[in-house]
Amino acid sequence: MRRRYYYIDILRWVLMIFVCVNTFSFPGQLGAYLKIISGFAYICFFIISGFLVLRHNHHIEQKIKAAIRRTGIMALTLFFFYLLLNIVYLALRKQSFLEVMKAFMTSKRMIFQFVALNAWFLPIGDTFWFIQCLLYGYVAIYILKKLDLLKYDYIICLICLIIAVLTGELANIIHFNFLGYTYIPSTVITRSLPYLLIGRIIGRNRKYFVKHGMTIYLIFIPVSVWLTVVEIQALSKSNNLIYTGHMIGNGLLACVLCSYVIMREDWGQQPMYKDNYLISNARHYVKYVYAFHQICGIIYLLMIRNLLSRYYYYLAPLVSIVAFITSLLIGIVVRGCVDSMHFEEDEENEVKISV
């Protein structure tokens, strides 16, 4: 018998909103806090992916291969899609795309930043780092499995998290310098690998999380948000604040939310979710929102650029909301077309259980 984690679908809807908030800056100090706190959404996606793909050792190698293939196709598609968009964007701004690419190809540092540090090199496509980092993470886990090192997932995860902390926000305080960088951006070691493994660890210890009531999660959620705010204030006072998404509070918030969703015992017994088309297809819509929301936002910003200088405080949040709605509508239309063709797809959010 197969059932779905419908609460994961609901969480994905919430995360889609925070991803849009993280992409587009909101005005004022509150906007800065919202942007940084919303970074937990990407971490949640890593944890969810790790849980769904790696929670069981049964056929895990085939599951990892399928994840690499699925993520690789999406990464390749987005890469060429963003290249095409940048050609159009630079042409409208009367800039030469070939000159930009030439500058990139002749700079070893820029190539290193893109290949190893997931730093996007063109005006449109900053969110590409996530799918790139996720692909690297799956490849790293496949290598660990081949070397029979995945059984040490606790140790590997701990080492990666320590590296993430020391090369993230704290690097701006302790002046850790690596190849001239005051901090290390989102890489496979500091982002995808540790949180994919955390998803695996949570899945293997689900019974332990079920034992705890909802109270512990209600306590830790505000605590993790408070911790993130404290980190921001401390870093601001140090005059070395460079946000890279390695806030300890963000990581804690993501772990708490994902643990709560995964531990829900009634995850497969909600007909109201099963019959809800939007919730059941959240795993698909999030891909379209991720791919199109930044592009839609940039288009809208270009359309109202003359008004931004006077009404930025009001228009900036509106652009983010409209971009989210537009990208979601694109996803709904595309998904409807796919469903009408009756394509067969693997249900990555389903689990087989014994009854």
Side-chain angles (χ1 to χ4, degrees), residues 237-284:
K237 291 180 180 179
S238 70
N239 296 320
N240 287 309
L241 177 60
I242 304 176
Y243 174 58
T244 62
H246 295 191
M247 292 288 186
I248 299 173
N250 275 349
L252 179 61
L253 178 58
C255 291
V256 171
L257 285 175
C258 291
S259 298
Y260 172 69
V261 168
I262 291 170
M263 75 93 182
R264 290 297 299 260
E265 292 186 282
D266 54 348
W267 46 262
Q269 304 170 14
Q270 299 293 327
M272 64 177 290
Y273 301 143
K274 182 178 181 181
D275 298 332
N276 191 305
Y277 184 81
L278 291 179
I279 291 178
S280 297
N281 282 278
R283 67 192 185 280
H284 302 299

Side-chain angles (χ1 to χ4, degrees), residues 13 45 152 160 254 270 332 337:
W13 274 101
F45 281 124
Y152 303 112
C160 289
Q270 299 293 327
I332 292 174
C337 294

Side-chain angles (χ1 to χ4, degrees), residues 39-317:
F40 81 93
Y42 291 103
I43 300 175
C44 280
F45 281 124
F46 286 129
I47 295 175
I48 290 173
S49 297
F51 167 71
L52 294 174
V53 176
L54 308 172
R55 62 186 179 272
H56 299 309
N57 288 322
H58 185 60
H59 297 310
I60 189 171
E61 191 168 324
Q62 291 89 331
K63 293 177 182 177
I64 298 172
K65 287 181 179 178
I68 292 174
R69 182 172 59 253
R70 183 170 58 247
T71 309
I73 292 173
M74 184 177 179
L76 197 62
T77 303
L78 280 177
F79 179 76
F80 286 108
F81 179 71
Y82 286 145
L83 280 183
L84 179 61
L85 281 174
N86 278 281
I87 292 173
V88 176
Y89 177 78
L90 291 172
L92 292 174
R93 294 175 61 89
K94 298 180 180 179
Q95 293 179 265
S96 174
F97 176 78
L98 293 178
E99 288 183 4
V100 174
M101 289 300 297
K102 183 179 179 181
F104 167 72
M105 296 301 294
T106 55
S107 173
K108 293 181 180 180
R109 190 176 187 85
M110 288 179 65
I111 293 175
F112 174 78
Q113 287 177 319
F114 172 67
V115 174
L117 304 183
N118 304 321
W120 186 250
F121 57 97
L122 290 170
I124 300 177
D126 289 339
T127 56
F128 185 78
W129 72 266
F130 172 76
I131 191 67
Q132 185 182 11
C133 202
L134 182 61
L135 177 60
Y136 289 176
Y138 282 137
V139 171
I141 288 174
Y142 180 77
I143 294 172
L144 290 174
K145 176 61 179 175
K146 280 295 186 180
L147 297 177
D148 198 27
L149 295 176
L150 197 55
K151 57 186 177 183
Y152 303 112
D153 50 5
Y154 284 94
I155 298 174
I156 296 171
C157 180
L158 180 60
I159 292 173
C160 289
L161 288 175
I162 292 173
I163 295 173
V165 171
L166 292 179
T167 60
E169 301 303 320
L170 287 179
N172 298 303
I173 296 178
I174 63 178
H175 302 291
F176 180 83
N177 190 287
F178 177 74
L179 297 179
Y181 294 93
T182 55
Y183 68 95
I184 305 301
S186 303
T187 65
V188 61
I189 295 177
T190 61
R191 268 301 186 88
S192 58
L193 182 57
Y195 290 111
L196 284 170
L197 291 177
I198 284 178
R200 169 181 166 84
I201 292 169
I202 292 175
R204 280 172 34 199
N205 297 277
R206 183 178 176 274
K207 292 182 179 179
Y208 172 80
F209 291 99
V210 171
K211 292 180 181 178
H212 297 286
M214 189 174 181
T215 306
I216 189 171
Y217 298 99
L218 292 177
I219 292 173
F220 271 100
I221 288 174
V223 167
S224 55
V225 174
W226 171 82
L227 179 59
T228 304
V229 173
V230 170
E231 289 179 83
I232 297 170
Q233 293 175 340
L235 288 164
S236 298
K237 291 180 180 179
S238 70
N239 296 320
N240 287 309
L241 177 60
I242 304 176
Y243 174 58
T244 62
H246 295 191
M247 292 288 186
I248 299 173
N250 275 349
L252 179 61
L253 178 58
C255 291
V256 171
L257 285 175
C258 291
S259 298
Y260 172 69
V261 168
I262 291 170
M263 75 93 182
R264 290 297 299 260
E265 292 186 282
D266 54 348
W267 46 262
Q269 304 170 14
Q270 299 293 327
M272 64 177 290
Y273 301 143
K274 182 178 181 181
D275 298 332
N276 191 305
Y277 184 81
L278 291 179
I279 291 178
S280 297
N281 282 278
R283 67 192 185 280
H284 302 299
Y285 295 144
V286 68
K287 298 175 184 177
Y288 297 111
V289 172
Y290 170 75
F292 293 109
H293 80 277
Q294 185 187 26
I295 300 162
C296 294
I298 290 175
I299 292 173
Y300 294 139
L301 287 172
L302 289 173
M303 291 171 61
I304 62 172
R305 61 183 182 276
N306 294 329
L307 297 173
L308 282 177
S309 58
R310 296 180 59 185
Y311 305 105
Y312 180 79
Y313 188 86
Y314 304 100
L315 292 178

